[in-house]
Amino acid sequence: IMSKGTVVLAYSGGLDTSCILVWLKEQGYDVITFLANIGQDEDFEAARKKAESLGAKKVFIEDLRAEFVEDFIWPAVQANAVYEDRYLLGTAVARPCIARRQVEIARSEGAQFVSHGATGKGNDQIRFELTCYALYPEVKIIAPWRIPEFYTRFRGRTDLMEYAQSHAPGDLYLMTKNPEDSPNVPDVLELEFRNGVPVKVTNVKEGKSKDSPLDIFSYLNEIGGKHGVGRIDIVENRFIGMKSRGIYETPGGTILLQAHLDMETFTVDKEVRRIKQGLGIKFSELVYNGFWYSPECDFVRFCIAKSQEKVEGKVQLSVFKGQVYILGRESPKSLYNEELVSMDVQGDYNPCDASGFIRINAVRLREHHRLQGFSGSDQV
Amino acid sequence: IMSKGTVVLAYSGGLDTSCILVWLKEQGYDVITFLANIGQDEDFEAARKKAESLGAKKVFIEDLRAEFVEDFIWPAVQANAVYEDRYLLGTAVARPCIARRQVEIARSEGAQFVSHGATGKGNDQIRFELTCYALYPEVKIIAPWRIPEFYTRFRGRTDLMEYAQSHAPGDLYLMTKNPEDSPNVPDVLELEFRNGVPVKVTNVKEGKSKDSPLDIFSYLNEIGGKHGVGRIDIVENRFIGMKSRGIYETPGGTILLQAHLDMETFTVDKEVRRIKQGLGIKFSELVYNGFWYSPECDFVRFCIAKSQEKVEGKVQLSVFKGQVYILGRESPKSLYNEELVSMDVQGDYNPCDASGFIRINAVRLREHHRLQGFSGSDQV
Amino acid sequence: IMSKGTVVLAYSGGLDTSCILVWLKEQGYDVITFLANIGQDEDFEAARKKAESLGAKKVFIEDLRAEFVEDFIWPAVQANAVYEDRYLLGTAVARPCIARRQVEIARSEGAQFVSHGATGKGNDQIRFELTCYALYPEVKIIAPWRIPEFYTRFRGRTDLMEYAQSHAPGDLYLMTKNPEDSPNVPDVLELEFRNGVPVKVTNVKEGKSKDSPLDIFSYLNEIGGKHGVGRIDIVENRFIGMKSRGIYETPGGTILLQAHLDMETFTVDKEVRRIKQGLGIKFSELVYNGFWYSPECDFVRFCIAKSQEKVEGKVQLSVFKGQVYILGRESPKSLYNEELVSMDVQGDYNPCDASGFIRINAVRLREHHRLQGFSGSDQV
Amino acid sequence: IMSKGTVVLAYSGGLDTSCILVWLKEQGYDVITFLANIGQDEDFEAARKKAESLGAKKVFIEDLRAEFVEDFIWPAVQANAVYEDRYLLGTAVARPCIARRQVEIARSEGAQFVSHGATGKGNDQIRFELTCYALYPEVKIIAPWRIPEFYTRFRGRTDLMEYAQSHAPGDLYLMTKNPEDSPNVPDVLELEFRNGVPVKVTNVKEGKSKDSPLDIFSYLNEIGGKHGVGRIDIVENRFIGMKSRGIYETPGGTILLQAHLDMETFTVDKEVRRIKQGLGIKFSELVYNGFWYSPECDFVRFCIAKSQEKVEGKVQLSVFKGQVYILGRESPKSLYNEELVSMDVQGDYNPCDASGFIRINAVRLREHHRLQGFSGSDQV
């Protein structure tokens, strides 16, 4: 029997993508599986054996953790990336990282096809496929959960999972402790930033510190998880226009967001920050919708990176019972000027100027008031 | 000696505004004091006696709590008002409330002058005075902390306070317990919204409920305070362009923000929400900068209110150790469609459509890729 | 033979939709044709006969001109609607007007299907169909130019038209004279606005005036057309992500845009106008993309309408050789204050205040400069 | 008599700044005059003699034309800079150029003071002074038109000028012919862009071309002026909150805006362009308000420049009777794909995908409709 060609399948080792593997072979494809390690808790060797036993022609298992942190999470930290005011985009930034490597494999293995196990109503299918199309425009994508002959046959099992997911949030959390069961003593951390990304984390009490991107991020996940930080239960708006419930945990990301917000406001000019805030919101929407690899996301990342050149210094914070408390900050590049802001030193600042400032700002407001009962006519 | 006229002084009962009262009399003004009760912990009768003993011609002490909640806090709740991603604008919304009443008194008492004790480097002077100019354009404002002969004489004392404020944050919190000392058992609340504002709060375990705006807000402050919710230590950018450190506690406001965000995302269309998010950021800047009474803030409030017509329903949440956890939500107006979003019911949704959706979204990305190594020339 | 059901076809009387009519009948549908008069130059009776002769079961020809102007063009005028800085959205606002009536007919005639002749790469298919789905969610849409068996059969003819369109722009203009051949004497008009929409146009020299929406708009098209106003040759970005060349003429719309911009800036508060400008850009994108009937477009229109309450007064302008020149304006609601702005009357304005205003605005800039060579460290 | 110090005065040679020169000397300052040539029609030698005869200690007359075009106008071209949809910011970009050189002179001459003749209600005082404070934070600024003893003495004369200005617009135009008197034959130009700025202009009929920035800009002013391009009569909102009437002519700028818009849309990705459009509006506000030298304007310029990397190619246009008509464009970097957009080549594009695209976009709209008559309750 002639092969229809080679497909690189994003494989998780779970039931879903195992079914897909088998089905793709049934359809006549040679299947290469690809399993990315981006930090999840997984038995990678078991997955390898399973893939091989199910007939994978080749099995790739790759550790993408370091590049995931540096190339994807760090830009999200710089952007203060939050979707719809609450969701920290953990899954959303993982997709382009995984898909990027998957198309590299497809190209180097001469595969014309890629496949994945994302469902037909979700965001991940879009994130996955837009990345593939952007980086490998000629690729052909097989999305079994959108192919009737596949999904009518396998639907039953997924219903169950879906059911479980929506009825037992408590058990879903894998990285974070329940804050009610978390330690009664805070951990105090010092996070050092340069160019808007963390370069070192120190546990102040224990003296322990980490300074590679992956180590920093892993450690923040560990500490955040221990204290139950970053659990949310939200309704969100998917790209395809549905509302759905999401339950997420982002322990390290939550600490990073709070610390970065603090260092950024401390060091970046007010108006630059305001413009950058708008770019950050745009970035978050783009990433959520799957446009990491797009001209506009490149552009926005580039602009945001520029805004971060002075985001340098140390933030002290405590982590306790699900919360992150900023304790203080210091920076060699701070625009904070103790003398200027202080009441007891007048310095270069003349309080009388404020009177003029306020009165000029009031010109328009007073004019507006004047017009409220107005009945003449102006002509120019 | 002839009076220079009558001045209505925003009086706190403290040393600062008492000094101002005496100084204004020295300068030849008749002084009417005005003390607004917006929920702060204060001995109002003691303040009255003090004002009278220092020579106030008339003393106004007024309970503005209900109108403060309804006219100022509720619109901020609808807006998800947060300045620079963190500050909930507690003080900023109080100023226009107080100043509005103060100019009413000035008008009805025939006073041409108003005065206040805000410093010359801060935001409050601006918030106070822009409100006065907007509502009483002819008013004359006496800001002693910007008048050299006043501030050179009284500066010493303020230095002290300033010093205290910036070196002992722990003691500054008046409404909130330290989360480390807060109860080990959460309170569970159900907050009901209509038109984007709370209409009822119920303590689920105790069965207790409140349904007037003031009662709801006070109760949320009580519960939030008990659990140490809403403490922040931030650096912020003042309107006048300085960075300053601020330590704030907003227990009730923090609960309301989380609950409102949840109900809003549950009930408001995705794209309406996105446009409204931009308006909310604008609203926050306007309020922070003192422009509550301005044509643009009227306009933005009007638009935001329109966006809230469907924000109706109940949010369940728990309050614990400084955190607010959303537990669930229900609404008669939700756009959430369990059937649509579910994996097991296909309903009206055809997963195949997603393929076309993705491919069309990829048209531009693939074209972009095509051009990367491009060397021809297009002409139209 | 059993009918597959009834389809309401947007019929133009031209070759394209005539082919579709016949093809739909071949496929087994009963076909009702619908031809909207939105002001185009058309022999409607000939179209009726043609439709009948080709087997239309029923023929609707309806004059939508008045509602097109009032419900669609007027909101676009209020919004200063321009897509990508240049395109005045003439076609884009026509689609929802036509499709709205088409689905009304479909509902009242019990038709489950609607059809149209828009191509598979353009914007009009989207504008048309999103309107249909929004107003008649259960409708089924037949888009022959996206159905292989149709388009492979009929493609040839369209190629020709397409070719003509892209190689002979000069002849494409139907409403506007070539400015080189237009009169050597300007027409001078006075346009009166209320609530941001025109309520009267007067030809100043001729004394002639019009005051119904349709008459005003038709007259502006006539005068603009006579003077060659509103021709553009642009490249635009379609919703589906392609760039395409567009050649448009919008004589009346161009006059309205210039006149409205002028009256709006004259009467609307500066900061309200700025917020509204952003909403207008959003509105333009929504309309271009086909989302006239969407919650967000409803919301934006509502907000824009609010911003127009004071846009009232008269604009004088001349129309000449492809250009519109604003000559002057008057308004009973203008915020323009001759006395305030004049050099010779100081009035309420104290120029010294400007010094304080500028110095406070410079606080941040001077701090920024101070930091450029800075090497210490701040801690807060 | 001891000098109060040295002041560098922005001198125009006219009556106003001559009065200021004399007055500053009366006040005890040594006065250095500085007159910048930014392309205005001026007898510079006469101005030199006048300044010397009035007692200037030193006279600087400098040709800033080339740096004005390259450092200030070109970035405005990249930004499509337009304030309030109409004003092309000609004066606004000139101020920082002049003030930059003025503070350089002040520094090199050891002058602690700078002075200018801008009035106390206008924008130019702000643009001038913010530049000075940003680049020379310790400088002291003398603004005579805000000093009562000066302006009460000299007011009369200015009234006259002001009067003239507001009652005889026709005579105010210096660079542009009245379109009614302009040639009856268009000029046809080809403008070549690289990185979003013009690098060459060719008069197609005459074969003449220019390729230095200053020559290009001067030539566009000449051709635009000859055909009466770029005259506007507007009401604008000044930074200080007043509305004022402005009559401007920007012949070269208007041609550049139209040509740049065209090349930009032709070559820049749709979504990049949309984000950049927002930055351009921000840039325009900043420049209008005098913040050319500010961290945020630096940031915005940097981002805009990035967006222009592909804005490369040639635009053909005709200039005639006050109008600019785009005739065509070509580019080696265009995203325009004739094959993709054409009807007759299907290529890689599958029209069927559009069905899915539209249906997915309609999911939300149909849901919204479903809810209109809805009366149940959702719970999640």
Side-chain angles (χ1 to χ4, degrees), chain D residues 333-347:
Chain D
K333 297 205 174 163
S334 169
L335 287 158
Y336 185 89
N337 179 345
E338 187 137 9
E339 194 173 300
L340 179 63
V341 85
S342 142
M343 272 302 293
D344 54 342
V345 186
Q346 194 177 314

Side-chain angles (χ1 to χ4, degrees), chain C residues 17-47:
Chain C
T17 49
S18 295
C19 288
I20 293 174
L21 197 170
V22 174
W23 183 80
L24 285 168
K25 279 179 52 76
E26 272 179 34
Q27 304 295 311
Y29 296 97
D30 289 327
V31 183
I32 295 173
T33 62
F34 165 59
L35 171 47
N37 173 3
I38 55 158
Q40 75 275 41
D41 193 22
E42 191 82 57
D43 183 340
F44 293 101
E45 270 320 295

Side-chain angles (χ1 to χ4, degrees), chain A residues 274-323:
Chain A
R274 188 189 291 203
I275 296 164
K276 185 257 171 182
Q277 182 181 12
L279 294 172
I281 291 172
K282 185 73 197 166
F283 173 81
S284 307
E285 291 170 359
L286 289 172
V287 171
Y288 185 86
N289 289 345
F291 290 90
W292 185 282
Y293 287 107
S294 66
E296 65 271 29
C297 201
D298 285 349
F299 177 57
V300 168
R301 268 196 307 273
F302 180 87
C303 297
I304 288 175
K306 174 72 180 175
S307 76
Q308 301 294 297
E309 287 178 352
K310 292 187 174 169
V311 182
E312 181 172 334
K314 294 173 186 167
V315 177
Q316 296 80 39
L317 54 89
S318 82
V319 186
F320 177 64
K321 293 281 179 195
Q323 263 288 30

Side-chain angles (χ1 to χ4, degrees), chain C residues 149-372:
Chain C
E149 51 176 302
F150 180 88
Y151 67 71
T152 49
R153 182 165 149 203
F154 291 98
R155 195 158 44 192
R157 205 199 52 71
T158 309
D159 298 351
L160 204 67
M161 257 189 54
E162 193 72 8
Y163 178 86
Q165 192 161 26
S166 57
H167 290 79
D171 308 335
L172 286 174
Y173 295 115
L174 301 170
M175 305 167 74
T176 53
K177 282 204 101 162
N178 184 335
E180 298 190 32
D181 307 327
S182 71
N184 290 313
V185 180
D187 272 292
V188 176
L189 304 180
E190 181 177 86
L191 248 173
E192 186 172 346
F193 286 90
R194 211 165 300 147
N195 292 314
V197 298
V199 292
K200 191 178 182 184
V201 60
T202 306
N203 187 314
V204 174
K205 292 178 195 165
E206 302 177 6
K208 204 161 147 184
S209 76
K210 308 282 178 185
D211 56 12
S212 82
L214 177 55
D215 286 348
I216 293 170
F217 187 65
S218 303
Y219 188 66
L220 293 174
N221 266 336
E222 178 192 327
I223 295 292
K226 170 182 163 191
H227 291 280
V229 164
R231 291 178 162 201
I232 54 170
D233 175 332
I234 63 172
V235 167
E236 71 194 71
N237 288 293
R238 291 190 187 158
F239 185 20
I240 55 168
M242 293 172 184
K243 290 188 184 287
S244 71
R245 189 186 189 186
I247 290 165
Y248 301 103
E249 52 183 347
T250 328
T254 302
I255 298 173
L256 280 166
L257 174 63
Q258 292 304 321
H260 182 267
L261 272 176
D262 196 70
M263 187 45 60
E264 184 178 86
T265 316
F266 193 44
T267 51
V268 174
D269 172 80
K270 173 192 180 185
E271 296 298 326
V272 172
R273 195 201 169 286
R274 188 188 291 203
I275 297 164
K276 185 258 173 184
Q277 182 182 12
L279 294 171
I281 291 172
K282 186 72 197 166
F283 173 81
S284 306
E285 291 170 359
L286 289 171
V287 171
Y288 185 86
N289 289 346
F291 290 90
W292 185 281
Y293 286 106
S294 67
E296 66 272 28
C297 201
D298 285 350
F299 177 57
V300 168
R301 269 197 306 274
F302 179 87
C303 297
I304 288 175
K306 176 71 181 176
S307 76
Q308 301 294 298
E309 287 178 353
K310 292 188 174 168
V311 182
E312 182 173 333
K314 293 173 187 167
V315 177
Q316 294 81 39
L317 55 89
S318 81
V319 186
F320 177 66
K321 292 280 178 195
Q323 263 288 29
V324 180
Y325 298 92
I326 302 299
L327 304 175
R329 71 290 289 168
E330 58 183 286
S331 169
K333 297 204 173 161
S334 168
L335 287 158
Y336 185 90
N337 179 344
E338 185 139 11
E339 195 174 298
L340 178 63
V341 86
S342 145
M343 272 302 293
D344 55 341
V345 186
Q346 194 178 315
D348 201 20
Y349 180 87
N350 182 353
C352 307
D353 288 342
S355 305
F357 180 72
I358 296 169
R359 277 199 292 267
I360 295 288
N361 272 299
V363 164
R364 193 170 52 84
L365 309 185
R366 294 163 82 191
E367 277 299 290
H368 180 72
H369 189 277
R370 179 182 69 83
L371 232 90
Q372 304 295 41

